[in-house]
Amino acid sequence: MKKFTKVIAVLLAVAAIVATFAACSGGKDTAKVKVIEINLSDEVYALGVNKDDAALLASANEFIAKIKADGTFDKICNNYFGDGTPVAVSSAAEDTSKDQLVVATNAEFEPFEYKKGDQFYGIDMEVVKAFADSLGKELVIKDMEFDAVVTAVQQNKADIAAAGLTVNPGRAEQVNFTESYYSASQQLIVKADDTKFDECKTKEDVDAILDTFEASVKIGGQKGTTGAAYVEGDLDNPDGFGFKGLKAEFKGYANGSLAVMDLINGGVDYVIIDAAPASAITKAINAVA
């Protein structure tokens, strides 16, 4: 995963939390965090489409192939990983009398989806806006808990799931996945003064340390995500990711930002989330702290 070349704008909610924390500390330099930039998993993101809508799946696959081939997807990524500028995406009100593309997301996963005011931002949001435009449809974005995103599409409450969604067998039973558009991985966030993982060079090095942690160690992350499965393990689940799990306890949060703030506050010992959000969150928090 390449590093960001600029600090991405912090989520308003995160900024409020950080500002409050800084105020309570009397403005003194507070604990900061860092990412252990070693990939712990090998994942791909894709859009989820209702299993009964073969036409929409075909259109989405054609669209993804096009934007990857003509440079559009690279340009969108540059808005968040390079020197481009994130583009605000608006949601129309849902109206069944109109020709709309209804997208389910969880806008707590910067840089893939997040909100500033009533506007949506993020790689996924710009992608689905371009897709809706290509179909000549009005875009409706439904922001919900991450655990509900795939179910919403399965239950015909949305046409597409776009939420930095990792492909796995369990989710594939609920929705049809498009061709992948992004490769991702899990990474560990630690306090800046934690040197335990500094000499690690490989995933095996990190895992060797993680395997020594007992149940008294708490690892935070977003509920319902790959990070949760990595800690809790899912070898008994034929539809899981195939992670053996750790003895450490997983503590789930509504989003990764809250997990990192609790790391700073001492509520957890480590955080595990996807690499791109890990970088975005730590840069934002360190810029304020």
Side-chain angles (χ1 to χ4, degrees):
M1 178 69 64
K2 55 186 178 181
K3 298 179 180 177
F4 289 100
T5 57
K6 67 172 185 176
V7 177
I8 301 175
V10 64
L11 290 167
L12 293 181
V14 180
I17 295 171
V18 175
T20 300
F21 180 73
C24 291
S25 65
K28 298 179 181 179
D29 189 28
T30 58
K32 297 182 181 181
V33 291
K34 63 186 179 183
V35 181
I36 305 302
E37 295 181 344
I38 295 174
N39 295 338
L40 301 179
S41 64
D42 183 14
E43 312 161 39
V44 293
Y45 292 169
L47 303 177
V49 180
N50 187 280
K51 284 185 171 291
D52 294 328
D53 200 339
L56 183 60
L57 178 66
S59 295
N61 280 332
E62 182 179 349
F63 171 77
I64 289 171
K66 178 179 182 300
I67 65 172
K68 288 172 72 174
D70 67 13
T72 299
F73 184 70
D74 287 340
K75 182 178 179 181
I76 290 173
C77 287
N78 187 60
N79 291 342
Y80 299 90
F81 299 141
D83 58 3
T85 301
V87 176
V89 176
S90 299
S91 173
E94 188 172 10
D95 184 342
T96 56
S97 69
K98 295 182 177 180
D99 193 12
Q100 297 179 321
L101 181 71
V102 181
V103 175
T105 195
N106 171 242
E108 303 278 1
F109 198 60
E110 187 179 357
F112 289 90
E113 38 270 321
Y114 61 101
K115 290 183 77 174
K116 295 200 298 191
D118 293 330
Q119 300 293 306
F120 290 87
Y121 292 83
I123 294 169
D124 285 343
M125 298 296 92
E126 292 195 36
V127 166
V128 295
K129 175 63 167 80
F131 182 44
D133 289 347
S134 74
L135 297 175
K137 294 178 179 287
E138 193 174 46
L139 178 64
V140 175
I141 302 172
K142 288 185 172 182
D143 187 16
M144 60 189 69
E145 292 294 321
F146 181 78
D147 287 349
V149 169
V150 171
T151 304
V153 174
Q154 183 184 32
Q155 296 178 347
N156 291 304
K157 295 177 181 177
D159 302 308
I160 282 181
L165 202 59
T166 300
V167 175
N168 79 342
R171 292 170 182 164
E173 289 182 359
Q174 298 174 274
V175 296
N176 282 331
F177 280 110
T178 63
E179 295 297 320
S180 65
Y181 59 89
Y182 190 84
S183 296
S185 61
Q186 298 298 301
Q187 290 187 348
L188 198 66
I189 301 176
V190 307
K191 288 185 178 179
D193 60 358
D194 187 330
T195 61
K196 194 175 275 81
F197 296 90
D198 285 1
E199 300 303 315
C200 293
K201 304 296 183 184
T202 67
K203 173 187 180 322
E204 289 71 25
D205 293 339
V206 175
D207 279 338
I209 295 173
L210 291 175
D211 285 341
T212 67
F213 292 163
E214 299 297 330
S216 58
V217 176
K218 293 181 174 60
I219 301 179
Q222 188 174 12
K223 292 181 291 186
T225 62
T226 311
Y230 197 89
V231 177
E232 296 176 327
D234 60 3
L235 289 178
D236 293 333
N237 180 0
D239 297 321
F241 295 94
F243 297 134
K244 65 180 178 61
L246 307 172
K247 286 180 285 187
E249 177 187 346
F250 180 76
K251 186 175 180 181
Y253 298 82
N255 57 65
S257 301
L258 293 175
V260 176
M261 288 308 303
D262 208 18
L263 168 63
I264 292 173
N265 285 320
V268 293
D269 302 292
Y270 301 96
V271 170
I272 182 170
I273 55 176
D274 287 45
S279 181
I281 292 166
T282 54
K283 285 186 181 243
I285 288 176
N286 287 337
V288 176

